[in-house]
Amino acid sequence: MERADIVIVGTGHGGAQAAIALRQNGFAGSIAMIGRDSETPYERPPLSKEYLAGEKPFERICIRPPQFWADKDIALHLRTAVVAVDAAAHEIVLSDESRVGYGQLIWAAGGDPRRLSCPGADLAGVHSVRTRADVDRMMAELEAGARRAVVVGGGYIGLEAAAVLRKLGCEVTLVEALPRVLARVAGEELSRFYEKEHRAHGVDVRLEAAVDRIEGDGERVTGVALGSGEVIPADLVVVGIGIVPSVGPLIAAGAAGANGVDVDELCRTSLPDIYAIGDCAAHANRYAAGAVIRLESVQNANDMATTAAKAICGNPQPYDAVPWFWSNQYDLRLQTVGLSIDHDETVLRGDPAERKFSIVYLKEGRVIALDCVNATKDYVQGRKLVEAGTKPEREALADTEISLKALV
């Protein structure tokens, strides 16, 4: 049976950064990375942006060149699924029923795209955006002449995909079940701004619209039927309605967790010698007023990976990173810092009509988050306000002549 001192499950941002950070922090033991993907570790955010648009070749989104992993003596096991964890024996079970032993385990498996549960969801032409293979299939259909696209979901993935598909000349209809886009992650002002932008670029945005079924010719998708009875013709469908945390084997092994797997401030699960990081790790976050949450972001994956690596290397430093996110749509760069959960007030800084502005989110007078559109300086300086929990005057926040760093 194969064995490694550290086994990392998952080859995305978290898994890759965990391996890198272990070596950077002086870990000299054996490291094995196991992942279902067929490629060496690569960045996921560009999949719905530059990679889908054909602006970045795959080589440019690799986290490290393929040879890097061998040079650092990190064994990569690709196209390999972990189906069970034997915590008592310190072993994982692979899909071929073989076992791999570990000294310590880092679970960085992320999540699987949430699928539509309606009839027709499995037809050819219905796509998720999670792996290179997902996007390559979409690109092949576009090259073959697909031009009518329906995007289901008005979150970041859906909006980014809609923007790229419009750029590529597709007719795009975006279907969102809630009353506004970005409803789960942003305030109404930002939602309405992006809704207006997408409409201006020719996207047919349908809000409060439920998908009843996907229609097809027996093999391929031909349309999306809404609850209203309308059928929107479609050559391809992109589904961006969130992820399901990939934690089944850990929960089955006895790990605590409901929405994902629970971890402490050092990213340790309730199972001995098992850490969990990234999209699947539920943790108490001080930027969410101590609530236990999952964060689906590159920042969270990378910072948690470093936290776990340092703990393993004998230099424990509790996870306490300020959350940040970004999204590119058309010529708009959205940069978010902090979490706007439960905000009770917003301050608009700048003019949305000029397509350069920031929305500052407050809770009990404290700055808890900023959404910055084409306003990088606000994003950089606003981070300090979020970290410090500053309570500035509203008039000063709204005044673009006053730099945010002056308000810290």
Side-chain angles (χ1 to χ4, degrees), residues 237 270 379 392:
V237 175
S270 61
Y379 166 75

Side-chain angles (χ1 to χ4, degrees), residues 125-296:
V126 179
H127 303 277
S128 300
V129 184
R130 192 68 177 172
T131 67
R132 180 194 185 183
D134 291 335
V135 179
D136 283 351
R137 283 190 290 270
M138 288 177 55
M139 293 168 72
E141 292 180 15
L142 292 167
E143 290 172 6
R147 283 296 174 268
R148 299 174 302 175
V150 174
V151 177
V152 181
Y156 288 126
I157 292 293
L159 293 178
E160 289 166 0
V164 171
L165 290 168
R166 280 299 296 145
K167 187 174 183 177
L168 295 176
C170 292
E171 298 174 24
V172 180
T173 302
L174 186 139
V175 177
E176 168 56 55
L178 296 176
R180 58 187 177 91
V181 300
L182 299 176
R184 295 182 178 87
V185 295
E188 184 158 358
E189 290 166 296
L190 194 77
S191 296
R192 298 307 177 196
F193 171 79
Y194 273 96
E195 177 191 335
K196 182 178 178 181
E197 283 290 331
H198 278 273
R199 291 190 195 280
H201 281 87
V203 177
D204 183 0
V205 179
R206 307 288 189 92
L207 302 174
E208 297 184 271
V211 175
D212 182 67
R213 66 188 183 280
I214 307 296
E215 296 201 338
D217 59 10
E219 294 183 1
R220 287 197 55 79
V221 62
T222 59
V224 175
L226 304 181
S228 63
E230 179 186 1
V231 178
I232 304 170
D235 303 318
L236 63 84
V237 175
V238 181
V239 180
I241 55 174
I243 67 167
V244 179
S246 296
V247 294
L250 283 186
I251 300 301
N259 177 22
V261 61
D262 294 343
V263 299
D264 66 9
E265 71 278 2
L266 298 179
C267 297
R268 297 174 298 197
T269 72
S270 61
L271 297 175
D273 297 318
I274 298 181
Y275 295 75
I277 61 176
D279 292 2
C280 65
H283 63 286
N285 192 296
R286 78 177 176 100
Y287 295 99
V292 175
I293 61 171
R294 290 189 304 106
L295 283 177
E296 298 171 15

Side-chain angles (χ1 to χ4, degrees), residues 322 324 335-337 358 370 372 375-387 404-405 408:
V322 60
W324 55 262
Q335 294 170 287
T336 297
V337 61
S358 298
L370 292 92
C372 306
T376 298
K377 184 179 290 186
D378 281 359
Y379 166 75
V380 172
Q381 296 181 1
R383 180 189 184 107
K384 299 296 184 184
L385 299 181
V386 174
E387 290 175 334
L404 291 179
K405 68 180 179 182
V408 177

Side-chain angles (χ1 to χ4, degrees), residues 13-131:
H13 285 275
Q17 180 60 27
I20 292 167
L22 284 166
R23 292 299 189 224
Q24 288 175 336
N25 283 273
F27 185 80
S30 55
I31 301 174
M33 294 178 66
I34 298 174
R36 292 175 295 173
D37 210 298
S38 59
E39 308 285 353
T40 59
Y42 57 93
E43 301 175 29
R44 305 306 168 104
L47 291 176
S48 58
K49 307 180 188 76
E50 300 95 332
Y51 185 70
L52 175 58
E55 296 168 355
K56 271 190 179 181
F58 180 72
E59 294 70 26
R60 287 185 57 200
I61 68 171
C62 289
I63 291 174
R64 292 290 189 276
Q67 185 58 36
F68 169 89
W69 308 102
D71 291 345
K72 295 295 183 182
D73 197 21
I74 298 167
L76 279 177
H77 301 275
L78 304 174
R79 304 181 188 85
T80 303
V82 176
V83 297
V85 174
D86 187 334
H90 279 54
E91 295 172 2
I92 56 173
V93 182
L94 307 182
S95 52
D96 64 1
E97 299 185 358
S98 65
R99 290 179 171 246
V100 177
Y102 62 85
Q104 295 180 88
L105 179 68
I106 300 177
W107 192 270
D112 294 312
R114 191 177 298 278
R115 309 285 182 181
L116 291 172
S117 58
C118 62
D122 295 328
L123 285 168
V126 179
H127 303 277
S128 300
V129 184
R130 192 68 177 172
T131 67

